Amino acid sequence: MVYFALNGLHKNPRRLALGGLALTSLVLASLQPVLWALIAGSFLLALLSYQGINSKKILSAIKSALPVFGTLLISGLPPVIYLIRLLDTLPFSQLKAWEAAQQTALTPEHFLTATGPIFLVAVFAAPLIIIHRKITTNFTVIITTLSLFLFLSPIPQLMHISHVRFVSALTILGLSVIAAYGITSLFTIRRLWAKITAISILIFLSAIMLPNHIKTIRLAGVFTPTNTLQYIGESDFALLMRAKALSRPGEIFLVTPWLETQFPGITGRTVFYGHPLLTMHAEAKAKERAAFFSSGNPAAMRAFADTHRISWIITDVSPQKPAPEPWIKLIQRSNNLILYQVQK
């Protein structure tokens, strides 16, 4: 999106650039509307800052950029408006309410320990890169600064949006680009003592941050095969694929609790109770599901299946799960799961 926007600034914008901008803007606004708004706003600020304070130049720049901003708005606003309306309806309004509560007090110190010396180098190098007065460099500094400012400010909480939406891979890339420019600028220092001092400080800061980075790498490398949120065994996965192949879209599955999120994502099939934030009347349905798996009353279980039009049941391999009844046909067994079909 950024690439096509910058290429569309020519006096005679290329159709390819505007076409690519429309497509990428549509996709980004559909997936990450906050990031789309950040990029669009930063692009406008970069253009205005490039022209300085001359009002005539600013008006001329805005006029020449109208095709770009028009494309951005026409392609990006419809999905943003659609998502805003969608999040006001159930079950998606539950996600909106949950996200509004996910606020963590953060300080620059937290971000510094997470990014290390790159953040500090970027802070000192930002004024040096702005001197070049190019739209690309201005945009890099503005999108990075604006993202971090919003991320660390109370504004996301006031907007009922999680602060993490304001920091993306683009923010980290911007920091890295600015820091890289600052590091390469060290080698242009003429005085040897100044160059040695600057490099020594950089090495010292890197050494201080090294333990934290090692800890982060270790945590990222932890993998627990027994954790079903991280890994589903081959035989269990084969059962899920069999369930998808045998069933039809619209048929309802009742799945064991730990599969409630993974199963719909893997197979695309409907479940009676899925993610609690994406299930309407989640609390009541959770109780009904628990009662089904624990009741041991075939008549009550059959009534539940008929009432809620359950066509398939996936349970754990456990004696506590429902034993096969005449109306429940065992289809497949894996290491940890059993697939049943409800006989009508």
Side-chain angles (χ1 to χ4, degrees):
M1 177 177 164
V2 175
Y3 170 80
F4 289 119
L6 293 173
N7 277 274
L9 279 179
H10 299 295
K11 292 182 179 180
N12 296 309
R14 293 176 296 178
R15 292 182 180 180
L16 179 61
L18 293 181
L21 177 61
L23 178 61
T24 53
S25 177
L26 174 65
V27 173
L28 184 61
S30 302
L31 298 176
Q32 289 289 347
V34 173
L35 181 57
W36 172 83
L38 271 174
I39 292 177
S42 298
F43 185 72
L44 176 61
L45 291 175
L47 184 66
L48 297 179
S49 63
Y50 171 71
Q51 297 299 333
I53 58 175
N54 189 313
S55 59
K56 291 183 178 180
K57 287 185 177 181
I58 291 176
L59 292 175
S60 176
I62 292 176
K63 183 178 179 181
S64 64
L66 278 178
V68 174
F69 284 106
T71 303
L72 274 173
L73 295 177
I74 292 173
S75 58
L77 275 181
V80 170
I81 294 173
Y82 168 75
L83 288 174
I84 291 174
R85 292 183 175 179
L86 183 67
L87 289 172
D88 285 332
T89 62
L90 284 171
F92 305 104
S93 58
Q94 298 174 160
L95 285 171
K96 183 178 179 181
W98 176 83
E99 180 169 327
Q102 305 308 305
Q103 303 293 339
T104 304
L106 295 169
T107 65
E109 181 183 356
H110 293 129
F111 200 81
L112 174 60
T113 55
T115 57
I118 290 179
F119 178 71
L120 288 177
V121 174
V123 169
F124 289 105
L128 298 176
I129 200 172
I130 290 178
I131 294 176
H132 292 282
R133 292 183 57 79
K134 295 181 180 179
I135 294 181
T136 52
T137 55
N138 285 10
F139 172 81
T140 302
V141 174
I142 290 172
I143 185 70
T144 304
T145 305
L146 188 59
S147 295
L148 294 178
F149 169 76
L150 293 171
F151 176 72
L152 296 171
S153 74
I155 294 177
Q157 186 174 3
L158 296 175
M159 297 175 64
H160 304 292
I161 298 175
S162 175
H163 57 278
V164 297
R165 291 194 180 274
F166 291 89
V167 170
S168 65
L170 187 60
T171 307
I172 306 303
L173 177 62
L175 273 177
S176 302
V177 169
I178 298 170
Y181 178 83
I183 293 173
T184 55
S185 298
L186 293 178
F187 298 98
T188 63
I189 299 176
R190 294 182 179 180
R191 295 186 178 182
L192 181 60
W193 67 268
K195 182 184 296 186
I196 294 175
T197 301
I199 295 176
S200 299
I201 293 174
L202 181 61
I203 294 174
F204 175 72
L205 291 174
S206 301
I208 291 178
M209 302 296 177
L210 189 59
N212 188 67
H213 287 306
I214 293 175
K215 181 180 179 181
T216 302
I217 293 172
R218 286 178 177 174
L219 290 174
V222 173
F223 174 66
T224 309
T226 56
N227 185 342
T228 55
L229 293 176
Q230 293 185 347
Y231 178 76
I232 295 179
E234 185 177 350
S235 66
D236 296 334
F237 186 79
L239 183 142
L240 301 185
M241 290 295 98
R242 179 84 184 280
K244 178 182 179 180
L246 294 176
S247 61
R248 293 174 296 178
E251 290 186 326
I252 300 175
F253 282 77
L254 180 68
V255 301
T256 190
W258 64 267
L259 266 183
E260 60 195 20
T261 301
Q262 296 94 318
F263 181 77
I266 293 172
T267 64
R269 294 296 188 247
T270 303
V271 292
F272 171 74
Y273 181 91
H275 193 288
L277 294 178
L278 290 173
T279 300
M280 296 178 66
H281 313 297
E283 187 175 348
K285 286 186 175 181
K287 292 180 180 179
E288 289 184 88
R289 181 183 64 175
F292 175 87
F293 284 127
S294 63
S295 69
N297 185 333
M301 293 162 58
R302 181 59 191 265
F304 171 87
D306 290 342
T307 300
H308 297 290
R309 298 182 293 111
I310 305 297
S311 299
W312 302 86
I313 300 172
I314 300 179
T315 72
D316 294 330
V317 176
S318 169
Q320 283 74 37
K321 301 308 175 185
E325 298 290 337
W327 56 275
I328 302 178
K329 181 181 178 182
L330 193 154
I331 302 298
Q332 184 172 334
R333 180 189 294 265
S334 66
N335 290 343
N336 300 294
L337 299 171
I338 303 176
L339 172 65
Y340 296 103
Q341 183 178 21
V342 176
Q343 305 298 299
K344 302 300 183 181

